[in-house]
Amino acid sequence: MPVSLVSLTDLAALDFDEILDVRSPAEYAEDHIPGAISLPVLSNEERARVGTIYTRQSPFLARKIGAAIVARNAAMHIETALADKPKGYRPLVYCWRGGQRSGAFALILSQIGWRAETIEGGWRSYRRLVQEALYGSPWPAPVVLLDGNTGTAKTEILGLLRAAGGQVLDLEGLANHRGSLFGAMPGGQPAQKGFETALAMARAALDPLRPVVIEAESSRIGHLNLPRGLWEAMKAAPRLELSVPLAARAAYLARRYRDVTDDPARLLATIDGLAPQHPRARIEAWRALAAEGAFEALAAGLMADHYDPRYGRQRARFEDRPTRRVTLDGLDPGALASSLPGLMAEIDALARL
C-alpha cells in the first residue's frame, strides 16, 4: 500500500533503507525529497519521446514503448546501483505523481523479494506539503535579524552562533549565494523549488519556543525569492546591528571573496555590471585597483560608494523596529570568538522584547 505523507517530518519516522527518485534527471535536479537517490527509469530524452508519442500518436503505443524502456533501465539499476543490496532491503520509491514509473519499478523490486513501497501522490504530494508550510502557514518561531553593512562577517557569525547552540537559519547557505553581485558560489544556485524544499525542511526543524537568528537580506537572494510569510516575519523582527570599521571590513572581504579575486575576468565583468549605477571614472578606478591586485582598497571603495549607501537606504525603512547595536573592532577568528558571548546576550535581550 502506498505511503501517505501528511507532514514534512513523516519521512524521518518511516522505516525505509533508502528513498529512490525514479523521475528523469531534469526533474530530480529541479527538486527532490531530501536524501533521495536518483535512479531514473526514463532519461530526459526518453521521457520527452514517450510524452510526444502519447499526445501525438497513441497512449497505448506510448505505454508499450515506455514499459520497455523502464524495464531496461530498471535492469541496469538492479545490476549496478542496487547490486549489493541485501535480502531485507526496503526502499521507498516515488515518481512525479505516484503513478506508472514508481509503480512499475517498485513492482520489479518487490518481485526480487525486496520490500519496496511507493509514496501516494509521488513528488507532487510532497511538494504540496512544502507549499503549505511556506505559503499557507505562519512563520513558526520568533525572528531576530542579524544586520550590518557588507563585510561585517554576518554569515560567519551565524555559524559561530549555531556551534554555540543558537537557533540559526542560514538563508545564503540554502541559496548557495552570498547575496550580492559578487556573491555567486561554485555549483550555482538551486532551482526555486529546490530552495523551497530545503527551506521548508529547515523550518520544520525549528523550535517554536526559541528565537531563530537570520541574516538581514532582501526578499531575493541571487535569483531566488523568499516566501512572503518569511519575508514579512523578517521585516517585523527586532535587529542586532553590527558596526565594524571600514578597514577591518575591507580586509575581511578580501579574504572571503578570494574565489572572485583569483578570477580576474570574473572580477572585471562584475565591476562592469555596476556601470549603469556609477560614473565612468569610478568604474575605471575600481578596474585599476582590481588590475593592481589592491583588493582591500577595491573592497573599501565598493563599500563606501556602492554597498553602504544602499544598505543605509534599506535600513531606514525599518527604523521603527527594536534595534541594538554592537561595535566590533576586528573580524579575525579570535576577535569573532571573543565577541560571541556578548552577541548572544544581545540576541536574548531582543528576543524578550
Side-chain angles (χ1 to χ4, degrees):
M1 179 179 295
V3 172
S4 179
L5 302 178
V6 297
S7 76
L8 291 172
T9 58
D10 283 353
L11 285 171
L14 296 176
D15 184 23
F16 289 96
D17 297 316
E18 288 178 319
I19 303 174
L20 306 182
D21 184 327
V22 299
R23 299 173 304 155
S24 67
E27 292 171 291
Y28 180 87
E30 182 182 34
D31 183 37
H32 56 270
I33 293 175
I37 299 168
S38 178
L39 293 182
V41 295
L42 292 175
S43 69
N44 298 332
E45 297 76 14
E46 290 164 346
R47 179 171 177 255
R49 177 192 169 202
V50 171
T52 299
I53 294 171
Y54 187 95
T55 56
R56 296 185 181 179
Q57 294 181 249
S58 161
F60 170 75
L61 180 59
R63 284 192 292 267
K64 184 170 66 172
I65 292 174
I69 298 172
V70 167
R72 284 195 295 270
N73 288 331
M76 177 192 66
H77 295 320
I78 292 167
E79 293 173 340
T80 55
L82 303 178
D84 63 347
K85 301 304 178 186
K87 182 178 180 181
Y89 178 57
R90 191 178 184 195
L92 180 63
V93 185
Y94 73 92
C95 60
W96 187 62
R97 58 183 178 185
Q100 294 180 336
R101 285 181 289 176
S102 61
F105 193 56
L107 176 61
I108 293 171
L109 299 187
S110 297
Q111 291 300 307
I112 294 172
W114 289 328
R115 295 182 296 162
E117 296 186 47
T118 60
I119 295 178
E120 184 176 359
W123 170 84
R124 287 203 306 175
S125 65
Y126 187 82
R127 174 65 183 165
R128 281 193 289 268
L129 294 176
V130 169
Q131 291 175 304
E132 172 59 28
L134 297 182
Y135 296 99
S137 304
W139 189 253
V143 173
V144 173
L145 281 192
L146 184 62
D147 201 356
N149 285 339
T150 296
T152 50
K154 297 184 292 293
T155 300
E156 191 165 343
I157 289 171
L158 285 183
L160 293 173
L161 290 170
R162 175 181 283 135
Q167 183 162 245
V168 166
L169 181 62
D170 182 4
L171 293 175
E172 291 187 2
L174 296 177
N176 199 39
H177 197 280
R178 287 169 291 203
S180 73
L181 191 62
F182 293 86
M185 297 285 286
Q189 291 191 264
Q192 179 71 30
K193 290 177 181 176
F195 170 67
E196 289 176 354
T197 288
L199 178 57
M201 293 303 294
R203 176 191 182 279
L206 293 176
D207 180 348
L209 300 180
R210 300 174 61 207
V212 56
V213 183
I214 303 175
E215 182 176 342
E217 305 278 359
S218 70
S219 61
R220 188 176 177 88
I221 304 175
H223 65 69
L224 300 174
N225 297 308
L226 298 183
R228 184 175 182 84
L230 171 57
W231 176 235
E232 293 297 330
M234 291 170 64
K235 290 194 298 181
R239 294 169 175 253
L240 178 60
E241 184 180 323
L242 305 175
S243 178
V244 183
L246 182 64
R249 291 193 284 139
Y252 175 79
L253 288 181
R255 297 192 303 270
R256 178 165 169 75
Y257 283 79
R258 193 161 293 153
D259 60 311
V260 179
T261 57
D262 284 347
D263 186 344
R266 174 186 172 188
L267 177 58
L268 292 175
T270 307
I271 292 171
D272 289 344
L274 297 170
Q277 305 173 59
H278 294 277
R280 181 174 179 179
R282 183 175 293 160
I283 297 295
E284 291 303 320
W286 288 342
R287 287 178 60 90
L289 290 172
E292 295 167 10
F295 300 129
E296 288 190 26
L298 173 60
L302 285 165
M303 287 187 289
D305 293 319
H306 182 76
Y307 286 107
D308 285 2
R310 283 158 177 76
Y311 266 81
R313 288 193 292 271
Q314 181 173 338
R315 194 175 293 119
R317 299 163 51 198
F318 307 106
E319 287 183 342
D320 60 332
R321 305 297 186 266
T323 302
R324 298 176 77 98
R325 293 177 176 84
V326 174
T327 298
L328 305 179
D329 295 327
L331 297 175
D332 59 273
L336 290 177
S338 64
S339 71
L340 192 61
L343 294 174
M344 295 182 74
E346 296 289 351
I347 290 167
D348 288 341
L350 284 168
R352 291 194 296 268
L353 293 178

